[in-house]
């Protein structure tokens, strides 16, 4: 881990991986430009390292130039004026390749393109070491991409955080140690809902119960709700794609949350993987899975009791209840292994008074 200004960063892309990405760019450019004597234009400051390494891999005739883009307050009321500092090259009949270290929203590059396109180049293409496809929202194409990365902030290999970090050989990403994301695990009837509200209270988290979100959708008769209902009523699992989309949209709706309690999710390894890559994209992760351990007869007793006044159709009938527990044991319980392998699994005795169980949970979370 390294510290730059006020923030901490952890290793993300190794020298070797960077090298492979540069070689990939070089081989694609060689295929397309070996006989064209192109003009490479590196966008300063960030691109100096990738341009240098890339140049060493390109074995054909080419020219090189650097530009620095600047946007300043113009004298006329029209506002901002964009210019390329130190750029006085004639581009007539040139095949231009813009070299970038990173393309994020694509705003900067869009302005650079506008200027270059007015200078009469024969062709203008873009090559970038890093590309954040989930943030990019422009019409133009990024023609050559070394590596796609999610929407996270990175430094090193030319990239800076407030002007520092450019001289690091590897690429680091911002370390997230803020969010407390918990998977609350256990069979139906284990008391997840009750305990989730205790965790919400103490740690100021946002409770995301797949079941509750599904039921809200079902009640609202949304498309997703109707689809989910057909599975839930039979005691089956809702398909992964449906569940994952729904969860992502709930997380996205709460960008200020201190953390999330995932309750009823993930239920399969596929979902766990999807959750992991989704959270990684947001620069965060699951900190712990806490599992409430309750034996089957106690579960059936609790669920049938709950079914009497909750009105939940899946709690009303003993066969459906037992089937849900069987589905949990057969299909869902394996997800515990997923987190155990990552050293993130804690088993909690889920039998006792509500307060006792809460106390066990608080201890587990405080011990992360
Ligand atoms: P744009 O959003 O594509 O216009 O990106 C503008 C500039 O922001 C890039 O050229 C980089 O200098 C900088 N930038 C975007 N993402 C990152 C990052 O993750 N780390 C460091 N600089 C970045
Ligand atoms: Mg840059």
């Amino acid at each position: 881990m390294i510290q730059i200004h006020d923030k901490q960063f952890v290793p993300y892309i190794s020298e070797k991986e960077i090298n492979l990405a540069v070689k990939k760019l070089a081989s694609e450019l060689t295929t397309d430009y070996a006989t064209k004597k192109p003009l490479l234009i590196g966008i300063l400051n960030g691109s100096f390292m990738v341009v240098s390494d890339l140049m060493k891999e390109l074995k054909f005739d080419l020219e090189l130039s650097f530009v620095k883009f600047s946007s300043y307050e113009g004298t006329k009321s029209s506002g901002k004026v964009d210019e390329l500092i130190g750029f006085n090259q004639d581009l007539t009949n040139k095949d231009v390749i813009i070299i970038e270290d990173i393309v994020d929203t694509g705003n900067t590059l869009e302005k650079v393109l506008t200027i270059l396109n007015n200078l009469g180049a024969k062709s203008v293409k873009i090559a970038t070491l890093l590309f954040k496809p989930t943030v990019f929202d422009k019409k133009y194409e990024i023609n050559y991409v070394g590596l796609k990365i999610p929407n996270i902030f990175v430094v090193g290999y030319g990239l800076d955080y407030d002007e520092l970090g450019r001289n690091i050989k590897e690429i680091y990403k911002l370390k997230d140690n803020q969010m407390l994301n918990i998977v609350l695990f256990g069979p139906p009837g284990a008391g997840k809902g009750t305990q989730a509200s205790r965790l919400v209270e103490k740690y100021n988290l946002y409770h995301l119960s797949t079941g509750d979100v599904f039921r809200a959708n079902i009640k609202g008769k949304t498309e997703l709700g109707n689809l989910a209902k057909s599975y839930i009523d039979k005691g089956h699992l809702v398909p992964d794609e449906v569940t994952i989309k729904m969860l992502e949209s709930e997380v996205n709706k709460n960008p200020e949350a201190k953390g999330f309690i995932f309750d009823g999710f993930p239920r399969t390894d596929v979902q766990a993987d999807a959750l992991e890559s989704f959270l990684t994209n947001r620069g965060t992760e699951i900190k712990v899975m806490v599992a409430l351990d309750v034996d089957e007869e106690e579960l059936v007793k609790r669920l049938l009791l709950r079914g009497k006044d909750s009105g939940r159709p899946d709690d009303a009938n003993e066969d459906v209840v037992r089937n849900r527990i069987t589905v949990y044991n057969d299909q869902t319980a394996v997800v515990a292994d997923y987190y155990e392998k990552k050293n993130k699994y804690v088993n909690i005795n889920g039998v006792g008074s509500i307060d006792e169980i809460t106390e066990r949970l608080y201890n587990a979370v405080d011990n992360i």
Side-chain angles (χ1 to χ4, degrees):
M1 199 192 64
I2 55 168
Q3 175 98 22
I4 302 177
H5 294 300
D6 58 327
K7 292 194 166 40
Q8 295 174 326
F9 293 83
V10 291
Y12 181 49
I13 306 174
S14 68
E15 265 190 278
K16 204 172 139 196
E17 288 170 293
I18 295 171
N19 198 255
L20 283 174
V22 171
K23 287 215 160 89
K24 172 180 179 264
L25 285 178
S27 108
E28 291 174 11
L29 290 176
T30 301
T31 304
D32 294 353
Y33 287 93
T35 58
K36 288 187 174 160
K37 288 203 184 78
L39 167 65
L40 272 58
I41 302 180
I43 311 290
L44 291 172
N45 293 329
S47 74
F48 70 96
M49 276 211 197
V50 63
V51 169
S52 167
D53 284 346
L54 184 64
M55 288 288 280
K56 294 174 214 161
E57 302 290 334
L58 300 177
K59 308 281 161 48
F60 52 87
D61 285 349
L62 54 81
E63 293 174 42
L64 172 68
S65 197
F66 282 99
V67 299
K68 192 168 172 122
F69 174 78
S70 150
S71 191
Y72 63 95
E73 220 47 70
T75 49
K76 291 198 185 120
S77 55
S78 60
K80 292 260 194 283
V81 176
D82 299 329
E83 65 166 6
L84 297 179
I85 296 174
F87 200 73
N88 49 10
Q89 212 143 350
D90 178 16
L91 294 184
T92 319
N93 291 324
K94 297 274 188 216
D95 288 303
V96 170
I97 311 167
I98 298 174
I99 313 288
E100 263 288 23
D101 46 340
I102 190 163
V103 179
D104 188 276
T105 62
N107 288 336
T108 315
L109 208 45
E110 184 165 63
K111 294 172 188 163
V112 171
L113 280 173
T114 308
I115 299 174
L116 287 182
N117 283 332
N118 286 331
L119 295 176
K122 191 155 108 199
S123 69
V124 179
K125 300 269 163 149
I126 299 155
T128 184
L129 178 69
L130 303 177
F131 180 43
K132 299 182 186 173
T134 56
V135 197
F136 184 75
D137 59 1
K138 298 297 176 293
K139 290 254 158 37
Y140 61 87
E141 203 188 328
I142 306 298
N143 310 93
Y144 306 92
V145 174
L147 279 172
K148 288 181 188 158
I149 63 166
N151 182 20
I152 51 178
F153 190 79
V154 291
V155 294
Y157 197 73
L159 292 152
D160 70 305
Y161 166 45
D162 204 4
E163 291 310 324
L164 294 184
R166 295 195 196 273
N167 54 330
I168 303 167
K169 281 185 183 171
E170 307 84 22
I171 293 173
Y172 279 65
K173 66 171 176 184
L174 192 60
K175 179 177 188 239
D176 159 74
N177 38 23
Q178 262 85 59
M179 272 196 156
L180 177 60
N181 296 312
I182 298 173
V183 175
L184 185 55
F185 200 60
K192 296 192 294 290
T194 309
Q195 296 300 336
S197 36
R198 299 293 184 90
L199 289 169
V200 164
E201 223 170 85
K202 168 140 183 179
Y203 301 102
N204 203 3
L205 306 175
Y206 188 88
H207 179 203
L208 258 181
S209 155
T210 0
D212 287 349
V213 180
F214 276 138
R215 279 185 290 276
N217 276 281
I218 290 169
K219 209 170 160 205
K221 290 200 167 35
T222 66
E223 197 181 326
L224 175 75
N226 292 336
L227 186 60
K229 186 177 191 313
S230 60
Y231 295 91
I232 292 175
D233 281 355
K234 294 183 208 113
H236 293 165
L237 293 177
V238 177
D240 285 344
E241 317 84 70
V242 182
T243 312
I244 290 163
K245 282 227 172 64
M246 185 197 71
L247 259 287
E248 289 184 356
S249 91
E250 290 298 311
V251 170
N252 288 334
K253 275 186 218 158
N254 297 281
E256 301 303 322
K258 293 247 184 332
F260 291 90
I261 299 173
F262 294 93
D263 163 4
F265 185 91
R267 293 192 189 222
T268 62
D269 280 6
V270 174
Q271 289 185 355
D273 274 334
L275 182 62
E276 177 159 287
S277 69
F278 173 61
L279 292 177
T280 307
N281 284 1
R282 304 175 65 88
T284 183
E285 61 176 1
I286 293 293
K287 295 284 194 269
V288 69
M289 167 188 264
V290 283
L292 293 170
D293 194 5
V294 180
D295 63 88
E296 173 156 351
E297 292 318 304
E298 171 74 14
L299 291 173
V300 173
K301 216 168 72 191
R302 288 186 191 176
L303 287 169
L304 292 176
L305 195 69
R306 182 172 78 181
K308 281 189 187 148
D309 37 45
S310 75
R312 278 177 55 169
D314 56 343
D315 283 348
N317 166 303
E318 180 162 342
D319 287 341
V320 174
V321 163
R322 284 200 188 269
N323 185 50
R324 284 165 63 205
I325 297 170
T326 305
V327 168
Y328 172 84
N329 288 329
D330 292 351
Q331 298 178 29
T332 310
V334 294
V335 182
D337 297 340
Y338 183 97
Y339 290 97
E340 182 139 48
K341 279 192 198 117
K342 294 175 189 283
N343 260 326
K344 290 182 175 178
Y345 174 80
V346 181
N347 191 53
I348 308 272
N349 177 5
V351 184
S353 76
I354 292 177
D355 285 344
E356 278 165 358
I357 300 165
T358 303
E359 208 46 48
R360 292 172 201 151
L361 279 170
Y362 287 172
N363 279 333
V365 172
D366 290 338
N367 276 327
I368 300 170

